[in-house]
């Protein structure tokens, strides 16, 4: 069970800046800490029913650069690798979650800590 906390002032400002930039309102933020290259997030889609159909998800990377990988669910020839440096904002929307999976893979390279703030709208 998750127990949400209120947005603190600085996080509310980050959320507001992103909302203004992409013209979408968010209700939640999930924070993930990647301590080393061993910390990862395997292949998945953000398709929880609470997010509704075709959710908009804004992912802000802070700290070490990590690879973000996308692969199509039925066409294995469609794969992408995107490097996410500190300060990068990745937006997933439309049918992304319906047709694609994504991950932050493990890496043997020495990488520093990375915090990922993922803004979502819970219906």
């Amino acid at each position: 069970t998750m127990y949400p906390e209120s947005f603190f002032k600085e996080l509310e400002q980050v959320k507001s800046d992103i909302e203004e930039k992409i013209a979408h309102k968010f209700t939640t933020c999930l924070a993930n800490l990647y301590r080393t290259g061993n910390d990862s997030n395997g292949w998945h889609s953000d398709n929880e029913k609470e997010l509704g159909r075709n959710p908009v998800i804004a992912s802000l990377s802070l700290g070490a650069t990590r690879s973000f990988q996308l692969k199509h669910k039925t066409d294995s020839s469609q794969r992408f690798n995107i490097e996410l440096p500190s300060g990068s904002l990745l937006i997933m929307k439309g049918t992304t979650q319906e047709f694609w999976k994504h991950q932050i893979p493990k890496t043997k390279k020495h990488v520093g800590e990375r915090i990922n703030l993922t803004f979502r709208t819970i219906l």
Side-chain angles (χ1 to χ4, degrees), residues 32-93:
N32 288 304
L33 171 64
Y34 297 83
R35 300 163 296 183
T36 68
N38 266 345
D39 288 340
S40 64
N41 195 334
W43 289 113
H44 68 285
S45 294
D46 296 316
N47 55 3
E48 295 84 0
K49 66 179 170 128
E50 296 85 2
L51 299 177
R53 185 171 170 84
N54 299 331
V56 176
I57 298 171
S59 177
L60 178 63
S61 296
L62 302 168
T65 298
R66 289 292 295 266
S67 291
F68 174 86
Q69 297 178 336
L70 282 162
K71 71 175 179 179
H72 197 274
K73 289 182 178 179
T74 59
D75 182 353
S76 61
S77 70
Q78 293 192 55
R79 290 181 75 118
F80 299 94
N81 188 70
I82 302 167
E83 294 297 311
L84 298 177
S86 189
S88 61
L89 179 63
L90 176 82
I91 308 297
M92 293 184 282
K93 63 181 187 173

